[in-house]
Amino acid sequence: QKTELLSISRNDFHSVVKSSAPISFSIMKSLSSMIRERTESFVDDLRQRNLILKNAYTQLKQEIEERRQAEKKLHHQALHDSLTNLPNRAYFLNHLKNVMEKAKFNTNFFYAVLYLDIDRFNVINESFGHIIGDEVLVRIARRLKSCIRRSETLARFSGDEFALLIEGVKKIEDAAIVAKRIKKKFDPPFFIKN
């Protein structure tokens, strides 16, 4: 069924509206209904677009967070040893460089570096295998971590080598005290898988 539009001049329209209240009411009612329908359609369209934008925003926010977490993980992996989760050589040397710069400008600031090497570690690897050797390194790292302070930086340099940076040393004896504390921590033997 085809709808035909009725055309009427403005003056005729005003005359009809002024002369007939029922026609005026009917026209106003039709216009009001048409405006309401179009407004509802417009509002529904806005709601739909808002929902699409909200979903896109949520997805984008999630993707940004995932990327941030991936970058954080990559940064951590680049500066930490995967076996012991200690800072690695690159992290340690960079931190040491910063501490040395600090010491240049502050004549009352001292630091010490302790280097630890596990004697005859290759015997453990050759006798018991690399899996046991890795477990020994993890246990060594745990013991070392348990006897250092928050201000001290412990790193695994490579294989069986560890380094400790002690900041704020007052005298040489302070570093010797830390070394004794570490040595005492290693008095008990390691028991790994019987």
Side-chain angles (χ1 to χ4, degrees), residues 79-133:
L79 297 175
H80 288 78
D81 175 59
S82 60
L83 181 65
T84 62
N85 205 30
L86 289 175
N88 62 16
R89 177 190 296 260
Y91 179 98
F92 185 87
L93 292 176
N94 186 52
H95 188 59
L96 178 60
K97 180 183 167 190
N98 292 337
V99 168
M100 291 169 75
E101 285 296 315
K102 184 178 177 182
K104 272 187 197 176
F105 298 106
N106 184 349
T107 55
N108 294 325
F109 178 77
F110 300 100
Y111 61 93
V113 175
L114 299 180
Y115 176 79
L116 301 101
D117 181 44
I118 312 304
D119 291 338
R120 297 182 301 280
F121 182 73
N122 58 337
V123 173
I124 295 170
N125 274 338
E126 290 168 7
S127 302
F128 301 104
H130 289 284
I131 293 173
I132 297 296

Side-chain angles (χ1 to χ4, degrees), residues 8 12 16 33 38 40 43 47 54 62 68 70 86 91 93 96 99 102 114 117 137 140 146 156 162 177 193:
I8 188 169
D12 289 342
V16 169
S33 176
R38 291 209 175 164
E40 286 172 0
V43 168
R47 282 191 185 119
K54 187 177 179 182
Q62 182 180 351
R68 192 182 68 76
L86 289 175
Y91 179 98
L93 292 176
L96 178 60
V99 168
K102 184 178 177 182
L114 299 180
D117 181 44
L137 287 173
I140 287 170
S146 72
R156 181 175 177 209
F162 296 85
I177 291 168
K193 295 185 180 177

Side-chain angles (χ1 to χ4, degrees), residues 176-188:
I177 291 168
V178 173
K180 286 177 186 170
R181 191 171 70 219
I182 291 170
K183 190 173 181 310
K184 186 171 178 57
K185 199 73 168 174
F186 282 87
D187 283 345

Side-chain angles (χ1 to χ4, degrees), residues 6 13 16-37:
L6 177 65
F13 176 75
V16 169
V17 168
K18 285 179 186 175
S19 64
S20 174
I23 292 176
S24 296
F25 179 73
S26 179
I27 290 172
M28 295 306 274
K29 189 175 175 184
S30 294
L31 284 173
S32 175
S33 176
M34 188 174 67
I35 290 170
R36 190 181 322 103
E37 284 174 14

